[in-house]
Amino acid sequence: MIRGFLRAALLLTMTVGSSFLMAQGTGSITGTVRDNSGAVVPNADVAITNTEQGTVVKTITNSDGEYLQAALQPGTYDVTVSAAGFNNFETRGIVLRVSEKTRVDAALTVGAVKTTVLIEGSATQVQTETADLSGVVTGKEITQIVLNGRNFTQLISLTPGVNNQTGQDEGTVGVYGNVGWSMNGGRTEYNNWTVDGGDNMDSGSNSTINVYPSPDAIAETKVLTSNYGAQYGRNGSGNVETVLRSGTKEFHGDAYEFVRNTDFNARNFFAQSNPPYHKNDYGYTIGGPVFIPGLYNKNKEKTFFFWSQEWHKDIQPSTFDTQVPSTQERNGNFADVCPAAGSAVNSGFPNCPVNPLTKAYFPNNTVPVDPNAAILENMIPTPTSGSGFTSYFNGSVSVPTNWRQELVRIDHNFSDTEHFFFHYIHDSWNTITPTSLWSGDTFPTEKTNFVGPGNSLVAHMASSLAPTLLNEFTFSFTEDKIFLTPTGVVARPSSLTVGGLFDNGFGGKLPGVQIGSPYSFTADAAGYPWVNSNPTYTYRDQIAKIWGQHNLYIGFYFEALQKNENNGAETQGYLNFYNTSTVTTGNSWADFLLEIGRAHLNSSHITISYA
């Protein structure tokens, strides 16, 4: 009764589900059973045992002596073949990789007394069932090769034909991660990335993935670069299939921490001191069997779990070294770039502001500071070194980035013919950017609080409908989210009288300021707010059928994408000041200080001119 309830609940979830998912990544074992004369042996019993979990799946050969067992998880298997009047045949240590099709043929000998012909699996197995070009990154490689940033995607470069186009020396997880890998010359955005067969692409950019499983939680990763089968759809370049670890019949786990900090680093040449720099990456895993007394007979039906949790806590510095107006120029005094008072206008002082109406220098080379400019000046830091026209803002700002991941996978065997698993992964990621995000901002006076969680959920059911017919169904859901909130000097005070685009008041934020020659910088209080999500739902069903001496695979793949976005960026305007404008003092900073009154719309920007 309980089993029937679980099956009904599973079917309902897969039918209406927004929470269970889909899978590729499973493999198959196939072969032909013959006797010692070479004749095929029909109706022979084939038992395939997962040595790590102790679970057994069974099938029989057809009239042509052929058998096929699909939907097998990567792992190590023993294959036992038996038939009436023959000695048993057993092959041990068959290593099945991700999405691999392995052939294990059996030769039975006639025997009145039952004995077993034992063949140990070879350490080297030649792939003869598929023609794809691929490589496998094993679990041992994933956990033992040192990764700068502990991003598992870095390891796909071990596969021939894969070229790194990420531009990252240190692999980064979360929204800042990048999976720009070219495979045999293909475009980087045309690759497919899956976890347990569930789609893992960020459909908004196609340049990152929604979740980055901890390397300690990954069983294997397979990279298919060319010539793969029709079941790999969606995009036309490479396919990267990652399969998570499952629990085994024994309890296993680990704990770890990787540390980098300020004490190990030299001071940046332009920094006044060594800013805080910390990287702490720590976590743990645990997996094993689940026993629930009274729920089922644990000797026949088994449940396994695997749990992983990991944290990245980073504090990284950004160094700034930018020319800024001097303290005197911030107050309107341009004596540092102007001649003595009363001098005639000449080309020897190109940065000295000239009154655009009288074509003369301002009295005492001092420009009146508009009250609006006095407010906007707060977005531009005061100089920390130099003097006069060689004033610079030097500084280092350390900002935090926090990433946390919870990962769980459950495998359950309803019977010898029905097997189910699901996983759920949640990545929590947030950072504060040293400048306003995606705006070209030059200074750390405006920052953006950037939150980007990711989710992945996969459910997979494999059912042997007949000895020669197996159905494999997968449903997946994945999603990335982005929440942007401006912080720092961003709020528009009531005393600011500058009008916004279409009288929107700049969305309650200060407008951005772009200053041209003799300086060149941008102060931007954007950061939006912005809310974005791209949920993806995928359904996949595949039937594996033995037809005579042929293995047939038939299936369908359906994917639904959704785009949700609330972008407040259109409320942000810019005030542009360039000494190449029609009306200008010849000094863009003086233009900024003089008057911010009459404005003309120019596309999405605001350009200042004088009355």
Side-chain angles (χ1 to χ4, degrees), residues 253-464:
D254 68 347
Y256 53 87
E257 181 172 10
F258 301 87
V259 179
R260 297 165 66 182
N261 62 46
T262 311
D263 296 335
F264 305 152
N265 297 337
R267 178 178 62 85
N268 185 284
F269 180 81
F270 295 103
Q272 302 300 315
S273 60
N274 206 7
Y277 179 94
H278 301 284
K279 281 182 172 290
N280 294 85
D281 182 342
Y282 54 94
Y284 66 94
T285 68
I286 186 172
V290 176
F291 298 123
I292 306 177
L295 182 58
Y296 59 87
N297 184 343
K298 66 182 181 181
N299 293 321
K300 291 184 178 180
E301 299 174 334
K302 297 183 179 180
T303 304
F304 305 90
F305 80 95
F306 182 85
W307 167 265
S308 168
Q309 196 168 23
E310 184 171 355
W311 294 261
H312 290 195
K313 292 187 176 295
D314 301 343
I315 296 178
Q316 292 184 267
S318 296
T319 300
F320 297 86
D321 182 51
T322 305
Q323 185 181 12
V324 293
S326 65
T327 303
Q328 295 92 332
E329 289 179 0
R330 293 174 68 91
N331 295 319
N333 187 341
F334 286 83
D336 52 358
V337 294
C338 286
S343 299
V345 176
N346 62 72
S347 60
F349 301 93
N351 295 323
C352 183
V354 175
N355 190 313
L357 300 179
T358 65
K359 307 301 181 181
Y361 291 131
F362 286 89
N364 299 318
N365 296 317
T366 300
V367 172
V369 179
D370 187 270
N372 288 312
I375 295 173
L376 296 175
E377 268 189 334
N378 294 322
M379 294 192 294
I380 302 162
T382 57
T384 58
S385 66
S387 61
F389 193 59
T390 58
S391 298
Y392 281 82
F393 168 70
N394 309 108
S396 294
V397 176
S398 293
V399 294
T401 298
N402 297 303
W403 178 81
R404 189 193 74 244
Q405 180 183 91
E406 292 84 32
L407 179 154
V408 62
R409 171 165 166 153
I410 301 294
D411 292 73
H412 179 69
N413 300 288
F414 288 108
S415 66
D416 292 342
T417 59
E418 293 179 295
H419 310 277
F420 168 75
F421 77 78
F422 82 89
H423 83 228
Y424 175 70
I425 306 173
H426 174 253
D427 282 7
S428 174
W429 185 90
N430 66 83
T431 189
I432 297 176
T433 62
T435 60
S436 183
L437 186 66
W438 300 330
S439 67
D441 194 6
T442 310
F443 305 115
T445 49
E446 300 88 29
K447 303 178 178 63
T448 300
N449 186 18
F450 189 176
V451 178
N455 295 286
S456 171
L457 187 63
V458 171
H460 173 272
M461 186 75 177
S463 302
S464 294

Side-chain angles (χ1 to χ4, degrees), residues 65-86:
E66 301 284 337
Y67 74 92
L68 168 66
Q69 183 59 53
L72 296 174
Q73 297 300 312
T76 303
Y77 290 87
D78 295 341
V79 178
T80 302
V81 180
S82 60
F86 293 92

Side-chain angles (χ1 to χ4, degrees), residues 212-242:
Y212 287 82
S214 168
D216 285 55
I218 295 175
E220 286 184 354
T221 293
K222 185 171 186 177
V223 185
L224 297 105
T225 59
S226 180
N227 213 32
Y228 42 78
Q231 67 268 35
Y232 303 99
R234 191 178 189 273
N235 290 331
S237 192
N239 282 272
V240 182
E241 298 184 277
T242 298

Side-chain angles (χ1 to χ4, degrees), residues 379-593:
M379 294 192 294
I380 302 162
T382 57
T384 58
S385 66
S387 61
F389 193 59
T390 58
S391 298
Y392 281 82
F393 168 70
N394 309 108
S396 294
V397 176
S398 293
V399 294
T401 298
N402 297 303
W403 178 81
R404 189 193 74 244
Q405 180 183 91
E406 292 84 32
L407 179 154
V408 62
R409 171 165 166 153
I410 301 294
D411 292 73
H412 179 69
N413 300 288
F414 288 108
S415 66
D416 292 342
T417 59
E418 293 179 295
H419 310 277
F420 168 75
F421 77 78
F422 82 89
H423 83 228
Y424 175 70
I425 306 173
H426 174 253
D427 282 7
S428 174
W429 185 90
N430 66 83
T431 189
I432 297 176
T433 62
T435 60
S436 183
L437 186 66
W438 300 330
S439 67
D441 194 6
T442 310
F443 305 115
T445 49
E446 300 88 29
K447 303 178 178 63
T448 300
N449 186 18
F450 189 176
V451 178
N455 295 286
S456 171
L457 187 63
V458 171
H460 173 272
M461 186 75 177
S463 302
S464 294
L465 306 179
T468 61
L469 179 65
L470 183 138
N471 186 76
E472 187 178 4
F473 178 80
T474 315
F475 169 68
S476 73
F477 166 80
T478 187
E479 180 184 32
D480 69 285
K481 294 183 178 180
I482 292 178
F483 303 93
L484 302 180
T485 307
T487 64
V489 183
V490 295
R492 173 190 172 98
S494 58
S495 57
L496 187 72
T497 60
V498 180
L501 293 174
F502 313 109
D503 296 324
N504 63 6
F506 297 105
K509 301 182 294 293
L510 290 173
V513 174
Q514 294 178 336
I515 304 293
S517 180
Y519 305 98
S520 181
F521 57 76
T522 299
D524 193 350
Y528 310 145
W530 187 16
V531 178
N532 179 84
S533 67
N534 297 288
T536 301
Y537 305 85
T538 312
Y539 301 83
R540 176 173 175 262
D541 192 85
Q542 178 173 283
I543 295 175
K545 170 67 177 176
I546 298 179
W547 197 301
Q549 298 180 359
H550 303 283
N551 294 343
L552 301 181
Y553 293 89
I554 304 171
F556 74 87
Y557 178 99
F558 175 79
E559 185 174 88
L561 305 177
Q562 186 176 341
K563 177 73 172 179
N564 303 312
E565 184 173 296
N566 181 11
N567 186 351
E570 66 275 5
T571 65
Q572 176 67 13
Y574 288 86
L575 305 178
N576 300 332
F577 301 92
Y578 301 106
N579 62 1
T580 57
S581 300
T582 303
V583 181
T584 179
T585 65
N587 185 304
S588 56
W589 180 253
D591 292 351
F592 166 71
L593 294 178

